[in-house]
Amino acid sequence: MRLTQFSDYAVRLLMTVALADGAPVTVASAAAQLRVSRNHLVKVAHVLVRNGILTGTRGRSGGLTLQRRAEDIRLGELLRITEPDFNLAECFSSPGACALDRICRLPTYLHDAERAFLGELDKHTLADIIVKPGATARQT
């Protein structure tokens, strides 16, 4: 399984905004800091604002802030918002497309794996993945 670039940018944008401790972060400054396309980040920010993760304020002193505390933003929730689907096999999106559809149990196991994956991420929050300045990241 591989997450989309959209989800990757969403996580990185949220981390950047969370580290600003309530100060508004502009898309332009986040894009420069993260070294990603401003246009892509605008689309990501729009989805996160529309889904109640970020608040966007227009104007001279505007920018993006977290709508909820970082401790309340679950990673599983975030991926459910940013991933278009979790169709791990063709039969997920096109039932009946495979000649073995009626005798195959693989979709059941893949659905179970998807639930376990998202369930594990639901245990962790945005706050959990941020290493505060001065601390060291755990290597895995």
Side-chain angles (χ1 to χ4, degrees), residues 2 16 28 96 103 110 118 140:
R2 183 180 180 128
T16 302
I103 64 166
L110 291 177
L118 291 170
T140 56

Side-chain angles (χ1 to χ4, degrees), residues 112-130:
D112 290 347
E114 174 189 332
R115 279 191 295 278
F117 174 74
L118 291 170
E120 183 62 29
L121 289 173
D122 283 334
K123 296 176 187 175
H124 305 285
T125 67
L126 177 61
D128 294 334
I129 64 172
I130 297 173

Side-chain angles (χ1 to χ4, degrees), residues 62-125:
L64 301 167
T65 54
L66 293 179
Q67 194 169 92
R68 296 181 277 162
R69 298 175 327 131
E71 294 83 2
D72 297 329
I73 300 171
R74 300 262 162 217
L75 299 178
E77 171 195 11
L78 176 62
L79 292 185
R80 286 180 188 90
I81 291 168
T82 60
E83 285 296 311
D85 60 56
F86 287 97
N87 293 339
L88 300 175
E90 182 181 20
C91 55
F92 278 36
S93 58
S94 304
C98 177
L100 302 176
D101 191 41
R102 294 167 34 141
I103 64 166
C104 181
R105 291 188 180 136
L106 181 60
T108 300
Y109 301 145
L110 291 177
H111 279 296
D112 290 347
E114 174 189 332
R115 279 191 295 278
F117 174 74
L118 291 170
E120 183 62 29
L121 289 173
D122 283 334
K123 296 176 187 175
H124 305 285
T125 67

Side-chain angles (χ1 to χ4, degrees), residues 2-83:
R2 183 180 180 128
L3 297 179
T4 61
Q5 184 181 59
F6 194 91
S7 291
D8 178 38
Y9 285 5
V11 170
R12 293 199 272 163
L13 177 60
L14 287 175
M15 291 176 72
T16 302
V17 172
L19 286 169
D21 287 327
V25 175
T26 65
V27 172
S29 68
Q33 181 180 346
L34 298 171
R35 296 185 294 245
V36 300
S37 162
R38 180 189 174 283
N39 291 337
H40 285 23
L41 218 51
V42 165
K43 293 173 189 172
V44 170
H46 178 73
V47 167
L48 296 175
V49 167
R50 193 175 67 228
N51 283 279
I53 305 293
L54 289 175
T55 298
T57 306
R58 294 178 182 246
R60 183 177 173 150
S61 60
L64 301 167
T65 54
L66 293 179
Q67 194 169 92
R68 296 181 277 162
R69 298 175 327 131
E71 294 83 2
D72 297 329
I73 300 171
R74 300 262 162 217
L75 299 178
E77 171 195 11
L78 176 62
L79 292 185
R80 286 180 188 90
I81 291 168
T82 60
E83 285 296 311

